[in-house]
Amino acid sequence: MYAALTVIGAGGICVGVSNASSARTESTTITSKWVTPGKGVVLPAKASYPNSAGTLGVVHERGPIQTKGHPFFEPLGSNGRACVTCHQPSDAMSLSLDTIRERWEATKGADPLFDPVDGADCPDKPRGKRESHSLLLNHGLIRIAMPWPPKDANGNVIEPEFTLEVVRDPTGCNTSPTYGLNSDNPTVSVYRRPRMAANLRYVTTSFSLSGRFNGKTGEPLAVHPKTGKRVGLPILADARQPTLEAQAAEAAINHMRVHAPLTDEQIEQIVAFESQVYVAQDFHIMAGSLVEKGAPPALGPMALVTGESILPGNNWTNPVFMSFDSWRVAPGETEEQRKFRESVARGYDLFFLRPMWIRDVAWFNSIGMGNPYKRTCAICHSVHLTGNNISPGLMDLGVNNVALGIDMPDLPVFKVTCKQDALPHPYLGREFLTYDPGRALVTGKCIDVGSLVMQQMRGMSARAPFFSNGSAKTIREVVEYYDTRFDMKLTEQEKQDLTNFMSVL
Amino acid sequence: MRVTTLVLGIGLAGVSAADTIKAPPTQRNFVACPVVIDAQDVPCWVADYEGERYFLTVQTGRSYGVVFAPQLKHKVLVEGTVTDEPRICGGVVLKDVKLSVMEYEISPECDQILPGDAYRTKGPRPIIPDGDPPWGKSTAVPLPPDPSRSPAAIKAKMERMAAAKETWEFVVPYFFDSNYLPFPAEQATVDQAADYAVMTNARRVEVVGYRGSVILSNGEIMTERAGLAEQRARKVADILRDFGVPDSALKVSWKEEPEHSGGVRDYEKRRVTITVIP
């Protein structure tokens, strides 16, 4: 079986023809997958982009996209970046470490991606030296500079419930006299992965059993300034902006160095683009086509285009990733393919059905569920077809906390000391170490330290590394983390099954 | 009444010893480490007090937010009345049991998960996803619906009272030492109060915060931290403002003197009242 592929090249479109069953990568001609800001191309309505596991399918629901003049693709500020710099179609509208390194090699560090404002470990590092960009080049991390103490939406200072002390500073930024915590403009620098700007219909929704309330914090949800509707906290790792519009406006200032705020029209165009792009792996070098007749129905980007959003998926009516029954005893052209597909089906069963003791997760165990709570992966990764969480999705899994996270010696470490009259972090107490205080840099609350908004699970083969701080280099390391964190006692086969399952999403 | 106050920490709950007021002998009000039992179907929570084991709750989930389940790493305040119902998970069943996680202090010693193959428990949510799996029926035992909480019933009541311009008092309950509204039921109460105030263009909305105390079974009185009554009242008022209640109609006050109910249903004193006067 042969399928026509459309692949975006550096300055235009390359069309390749491939064998969709087993040897797609051999016959696909790719010159470059990078979409350069300001270099107009037409992104086709449907395209496939290569990655190490196969190809990622990208669908523009409203048809081809002319990037020339489009604010998502044009460099609007002074540093040559556009939104697309960090949200590349080939990388599931995120940015993989492989791609970052390719850009470094291709441009010798001159690509706007490496603007020191946030593409270096600290803005005062000399541009173009590999060591100045170590967190971006080694972990795929962008610097996020947050004012300390935090300020509310009106710019008023929030008195924090805890103190922050820099106890390790490999980048030097948090102790910098110009950019650090004790500078004239006190700032906390944390380092995070760019998030996916795709499948957002499934993300920008909040689910609350009580309408106007944030079901977790018991406080009112924010109001969308245009629609007047209540909105959740699904955007950005720390949920500091409540809407896509606000996120775009902030990103233009902080990441693109615009001279003037974006116009309403530009923001509308950006949000309209983000709201119509869907991504998912559509071919896997081991599993073959993920979108052929008889493939599991949740696979491929068209499942997301046609799927219904706002569906809780931790149930048998609308299971998170529907059914993998067709691969339980899988068809396949080779024994190897059949075995891989069956492994994927077993991996989904583990995800959906294997109970574990979920414990010490702030804003999950601490909201009345109980600590521990015995259930499956799907209790948190519950949104139908994307596996994120919109209840809202803030929680502290532990990846940011030194005691519970993967060791990250390249990251700064902060000592958090909660005040005596404040509610402490529910499981770490009043004094602990963190790589990133997360949501607490927005709210100033001790119970929020480490909490971040959960990501969706699609396009994972296109956008490693994982977790907000890039601490899991591969899907397998994600599985290993959960196995350790929740004492799942997975066998080697089960780990591989879960890894394979996530690699086809 | 002789009262000795033992202050546990700045702004934290206090414990006093009282010699004149005692909880009834059938009442069990105590603070202990919760214990998880890995029973069949769903886990259950128990706590030991003075040589006896008490059943607290099965694992439920927030959708069925009727019990704020205990948390390892924290002690739990248990308030309930002993019954002679068959034991569950080896524990004495308490009637009207209220559980409050002691969130201000970490208790690392509370870290026990026990095997529970000998116990079979049912809960409103199974361990695996909700609903009937392909191989059979769900093990879940859903809670019976409360007709008074149905949207239609609430709407009808609201319209009836608004037409008569009746004053409506809403009561928002709290866990011990907490200013947290975690569950849909409590959130819905504030929601309804705001809706009623807006619907009737209320002349006045009176918000009063209270703090409580509990007469423990060992004779001590445990009091919520100072200032909590004010914090509760202000927080509820902020939510009502956010939901459209005009500031000019709001009257916010609090009662700092802690209240209890003589050791039975002391939890009812931990509250905020919202009185909407059309």
Side-chain angles (χ1 to χ4, degrees):
Chain A
M1 185 177 81
Y2 285 82
L5 285 181
T6 305
V7 181
I8 305 302
I13 300 170
C14 299
V15 179
V17 177
S18 73
N19 179 331
S21 63
S22 60
R24 173 170 264 176
T25 52
E26 292 174 22
S27 58
T28 302
T29 304
I30 302 296
T31 53
S32 171
K33 58 184 182 178
W34 181 258
V35 177
T36 304
K39 196 165 188 175
V41 294
V42 176
L43 302 179
K46 293 181 182 177
S48 294
Y49 296 80
N51 55 53
S52 60
T55 58
L56 178 87
V58 179
V59 174
H60 298 291
E61 189 181 15
R62 296 175 201 150
I65 301 289
Q66 168 58 258
T67 68
K68 192 70 184 172
H70 194 296
F72 191 90
F73 298 92
E74 289 290 339
L76 303 174
S78 61
N79 63 5
R81 284 185 184 166
C83 307
V84 75
T85 303
C86 288
H87 301 283
Q88 288 281 325
S90 62
D91 295 10
M93 299 302 290
S94 172
L95 191 61
S96 73
L97 182 55
D98 285 347
T99 298
I100 292 166
R101 287 172 171 170
E102 285 168 16
R103 291 313 295 164
W104 178 268
E105 295 303 325
T107 66
K108 306 299 177 206
D111 193 284
L113 171 62
F114 301 100
D115 179 4
V117 66
D118 57 6
D121 297 345
C122 199
D124 57 6
K125 301 283 183 184
R127 182 167 186 166
K129 291 191 171 182
R130 185 177 286 273
E131 57 269 27
S132 297
H133 308 273
S134 67
L135 289 175
L136 186 54
L137 286 169
N138 295 333
H139 304 287
L141 299 173
I142 293 287
R143 188 179 74 95
I144 306 294
M146 299 289 289
W148 188 254
K151 293 175 181 168
D152 66 18
N154 298 318
N156 301 316
V157 170
I158 297 171
E159 186 183 344
E161 294 178 348
F162 59 94
T163 59
L164 273 181
E165 179 189 344
V166 182
V167 297
R168 188 180 79 190
D169 193 24
T171 69
C173 213
N174 283 294
T175 49
S176 158
T178 308
Y179 298 100
L181 199 52
N182 295 317
S183 67
D184 291 342
N185 184 24
T187 302
V188 180
S189 287
V190 291
Y191 300 85
R192 297 177 185 157
R193 297 276 298 123
R195 292 169 74 86
M196 285 176 70
N199 308 335
L200 293 181
R201 181 160 59 87
Y202 297 84
V203 176
T204 55
T205 308
S206 187
F207 175 74
S208 173
L209 291 168
S210 190
R212 296 182 281 193
F213 278 94
N214 176 328
K216 285 186 175 176
T217 66
E219 293 169 355
L221 291 167
V223 177
H224 193 294
K226 284 191 176 169
T227 66
K229 291 182 177 174
R230 298 277 167 178
V231 295
L233 299 167
I235 303 159
L236 297 171
D238 56 16
R240 65 185 178 275
Q241 297 294 352
T243 63
L244 288 175
E245 288 85 352
Q247 185 276 332
E250 188 208 277
I253 293 167
N254 291 342
H255 301 311
M256 290 158 58
R257 302 206 206 200
V258 294
H259 300 300
L262 299 185
T263 65
D264 287 350
E265 186 183 0
Q266 287 173 320
I267 289 176
E268 277 179 25
Q269 280 183 277
I270 291 169
V271 172
F273 169 78
E274 292 172 334
S275 302
Q276 60 78 57
V277 58
Y278 294 88
V279 305
Q281 193 79 358
D282 63 0
F283 181 85
H284 194 283
I285 53 174
M286 297 295 291
S289 172
L290 306 177
V291 293
E292 67 183 17
K293 191 177 180 187
L299 298 184
M302 284 309 294
L304 290 148
V305 174
T306 58
E308 189 177 346
S309 47
I310 330 176
L311 282 182
N314 184 31
N315 56 67
W316 291 102
T317 310
N318 302 294
V320 183
F321 295 111
M322 303 169 86
S323 167
F324 281 70
D325 282 353
S326 63
W327 282 5
R328 205 167 295 286
V329 181
E333 294 183 357
T334 65
E335 180 67 12
E336 193 180 39
Q337 189 178 81
R338 278 194 291 276
K339 283 185 176 173
F340 187 88
R341 289 177 171 186
E342 288 170 6
S343 168
V344 168
R346 289 195 302 270
Y348 181 47
D349 283 349
L350 288 164
F351 167 86
F352 201 57
L353 294 173
R354 165 76 176 257
M356 60 187 149
W357 290 108
I358 302 165
R359 62 181 300 175
D360 296 349
V361 180
W363 292 122
F364 175 76
N365 295 106
S366 58
I367 59 172
M369 313 288 281
N371 182 39
Y373 190 73
K374 191 176 188 182
R375 265 202 148 193
T376 77
C377 302
I379 183 68
C380 290
H381 296 275
S382 59
V383 172
H384 182 62
L385 292 175
T386 44
N388 54 312
N389 191 293
I390 53 170
S391 62
L394 275 163
M395 55 186 80
D396 180 15
L397 172 64
V399 293
N400 282 331
N401 300 317
V402 174
L404 297 172
I406 296 170
D407 186 30
M408 287 288 278
D410 296 342
L411 287 179
V413 171
F414 305 92
K415 179 180 173 185
V416 173
T417 306
C418 301
K419 295 175 182 173
Q420 280 301 311
D421 59 352
L423 264 179
H425 185 288
Y427 308 116
L428 300 172
R430 296 188 181 278
E431 199 174 287
F432 55 93
L433 302 177
T434 182
Y435 299 121
D436 180 349
R439 176 72 178 158
L441 291 177
V442 179
T443 65
K445 291 183 178 177
C446 223
I447 51 173
D448 285 335
V449 177
S451 284
L452 293 173
V453 176
M454 182 192 296
Q455 277 266 36
Q456 54 177 301
M457 294 176 69
R458 302 311 294 249
M460 292 184 71
S461 288
R463 58 181 174 87
F466 307 102
F467 295 139
S468 64
N469 59 14
S471 56
K473 296 182 182 64
T474 61
I475 295 174
R476 172 65 182 236
E477 287 191 8
V478 172
V479 173
E480 294 283 359
Y481 179 74
Y482 279 97
D483 183 50
T484 303
R485 178 73 175 78
F486 297 135
D487 195 22
M488 293 176 72
K489 297 184 173 59
L490 295 170
T491 66
E492 177 58 30
Q493 182 62 58
E494 288 172 330
K495 289 178 185 176
Q496 194 58 53
D497 292 343
L498 272 168
T499 302
N500 293 344
F501 158 65
M502 287 195 271
S503 75
V504 302
L505 295 175
Chain B
M1 184 175 80
R2 179 176 60 82
V3 174
T4 308
T5 300
L6 309 169
V7 178
L8 296 177
I10 301 167
L12 299 182
V15 178
S16 312
D19 60 0
T20 54
I21 307 171
K22 284 192 165 45
T26 55
Q27 190 70 16
R28 291 293 179 276
N29 301 336
F30 62 90
V31 176
C33 278
V35 176
V36 191
I37 295 185
D38 191 11
Q40 294 186 51
D41 293 330
V42 288
C44 57
W45 289 91
V46 298
D48 297 336
Y49 175 68
E50 292 195 338
E52 183 58 275
R53 172 157 291 179
Y54 295 90
F55 166 73
L56 306 182
T57 180
V58 295
Q59 176 177 291
T60 58
R62 294 182 65 257
S63 308
Y64 296 89
V66 290
V67 177
F68 196 88
Q71 298 173 39
L72 296 184
K73 293 195 176 175
H74 294 275
K75 289 182 178 172
V76 62
L77 167 65
V78 180
E79 298 166 89
T81 307
V82 171
T83 72
D84 56 3
E85 293 175 21
R87 286 177 178 249
I88 302 177
C89 286
V92 172
V93 175
L94 298 170
K95 187 173 68 177
D96 291 334
V97 66
K98 296 293 173 191
L99 307 174
S100 298
V101 176
M102 301 282 96
E103 293 181 306
Y104 274 83
E105 297 303 326
I106 304 288
S107 301
E109 72 277 17
C110 299
D111 193 28
Q112 209 172 10
I113 303 177
L114 299 177
D117 288 344
Y119 303 112
R120 191 164 196 101
T121 57
K122 300 287 185 188
R125 297 195 85 180
I127 290 174
I128 60 171
D130 297 327
D132 293 332
W135 57 83
K137 294 287 288 180
S138 171
T139 59
V141 181
L143 298 173
D146 180 352
S148 68
R149 287 195 182 279
S150 79
I154 291 165
K155 184 165 179 266
K157 181 178 179 183
M158 200 171 280
E159 287 174 350
R160 191 176 64 245
M161 292 186 72
K165 290 192 174 295
E166 282 190 61
T167 295
W168 191 347
E169 185 185 86
F170 299 83
V171 180
V172 185
Y174 287 87
F175 306 109
F176 187 87
D177 237 7
S178 174
N179 192 18
Y180 180 32
L181 296 173
F183 286 137
E186 287 88 36
Q187 293 167 7
T189 300
V190 182
D191 229 19
Q192 287 159 27
D195 283 346
Y196 190 62
V198 171
M199 175 192 274
T200 59
N201 193 21
R203 283 186 296 122
R204 207 149 81 176
V205 178
E206 295 176 355
V207 178
V208 185
Y210 299 85
R211 67 175 177 134
S213 57
V214 182
I215 300 178
L216 299 175
S217 295
N218 65 4
E220 292 178 341
I221 296 178
M222 195 165 76
T223 300
E224 293 188 295
R225 65 204 153 86
L228 188 55
E230 177 182 353
Q231 290 166 25
R232 284 172 173 163
R234 288 189 182 280
K235 185 170 179 178
V236 167
D238 285 345
I239 296 171
L240 292 172
R241 276 189 205 96
D242 192 278
F243 289 175
V245 177
D247 205 36
S248 57
L250 276 168
K251 183 187 174 202
V252 184
S253 62
W254 50 89
K255 194 173 171 191
E256 178 65 13
E257 186 64 25
E259 299 177 349
H260 61 73
S261 300
V264 182
R265 302 175 78 88
D266 286 340
Y267 53 81
E268 291 180 341
K269 300 298 184 185
R270 309 188 290 260
R271 69 200 191 280
V272 163
T273 58
I274 308 168
T275 307
V276 179
I277 306 167

